[in-house]
Every structure is written in C-alpha cells, then in structure tokens.
Amino acid sequence: MIDVLENPAWHALLTGNSLLALGSDQVKFFDEEVSPFVGLENNTTDNFTELANLLPNERVCVFIDPAQISVPAPWSLLNCVECYQMVFNGKAVEHTGEIKVVDLTDEHVPQMLALTQATNPGPFSQQTIRFGHYKGIFDGDKLVAMAGQRLTPSPYAELSAVCTHPDYLGKGYAKLLLMSQVERLLKSGGVPYLHVRHDNERAISVYKSLGFEVTRKLFFHVIKKAKT
C-alpha cells in the first residue's frame, strides 16, 4: 500500500486538491497565488527539468522529500526546513464554549493576509483561501486568530495557517481552532495531520497533548528557478 504522506504534495495534487492542480502526469503544482508547493511523482532530474519547463523564470517553489536532496539546474536551493509530520490519533472534543468560530470567506482575505504577515505561520497568498475550510475568531470586526487546511492527500487533510495575533496570545484560540478543524475532519471521515519544525519543541509538545503523534521527518526544500 502506498503511503501517501511520504509524498504529501504529489498525492494531494492527485486527489483532494486535484481541482487546484496544474502541470502534467509526472509533475504537478498550484497556481502561485494559491500555494508554492509542487509535487513530483518521482524525485528525478527529468521531472525537475519538466517542472522548470512548465514554470516561469524565478518562480519560488517548495518541494517535500523524506531526504535532504540536491536540486539539479536550473533550480537552486534557497532553504531547507527540517520538519516533523504529525498525524492525529486522539479523540475530538466538541467545542461548547462561548467563543464564536466564524467561517472565513473571500471578504476576509485582506485580514487573513495581514494576520499571516504578522505571525508567519507559513506561505499564505491572495488565493490560498481556495484550499477551503478556513475558520477564524474575531474581536469585534478584527480577525485575531485563524486556522485552515492545505495539502489533502485523501483521506488525510493537513491543518495549516494556525495563527494568533500577538496581542491575543494565551487565550487558547489556536487550540480551539485546531480542534474545531479536527472535529470537522473526523466527522467527515478524514484524518488530520500537520507539519511542524523539528526544533519547535513548544509546538510539538502542544500538538502531542492534543492527540497528534510524530510519524516521520520530512525536508521542505525552498527552490527557485534560475533565469534561462
């Protein structure tokens, strides 16, 4: 049986994110305004060459692999981030508190962009909301916390963009939003998972306390296509 989480971007572009997929039979990617992630059926020089032929000069992408790799020309490596992949193996806790969780829509995109720029939870662009299921918490009209999903290699769904404005930390908003996503996914037959930097011990501890388990290490390669 194929372990789709070993190559999550590729299998997400084949399955749960297929409506957002561009590319070919061996190489797939998202529109730049949706996400920088690319997926290769196999990590080969030919596939990196095909990816370069399909994308414009100086496009920055993120490629995930279980090993730290060297990328062939015309690609250059800008950064490599070592992460743990964690899969949920706990029980969902239904939210019954007074804090209102709001579905986020296109009208909220400017505030979502501002919040991610202030907190840097990972890549987030003008059309990232197309991944769907983004939810937030507001203080009046101000978005102060949010969470959503990203790579969805069925039946798995990656929880992403979990962030809280610095002025609102310590209120439990991130945990509430994260578990709201977990509850939604489990009810629909999905399996929640996420990625976290291997050295973010505080976040790893929190995720473990919520029912997530480390399953593997992955390397997120930030690559850029050189001018040709």
Side-chain angles (χ1 to χ4, degrees), residues 2 42 226:
I2 296 174
N42 295 295

Side-chain angles (χ1 to χ4, degrees), residues 191-222:
V191 182
Y193 78 106
L194 53 81
H195 295 107
V196 59
R197 286 184 64 108
H198 79 288
D199 55 359
N200 191 343
E201 295 179 2
R202 180 180 177 277
I204 293 168
S205 178
V206 170
Y207 293 143
K208 285 182 176 179
S209 73
L210 297 177
F212 287 86
E213 295 180 353
V214 174
T215 53
R216 62 167 50 86
K217 187 181 290 184
L218 292 173
F219 293 87
F220 285 56
H221 300 78
V222 183

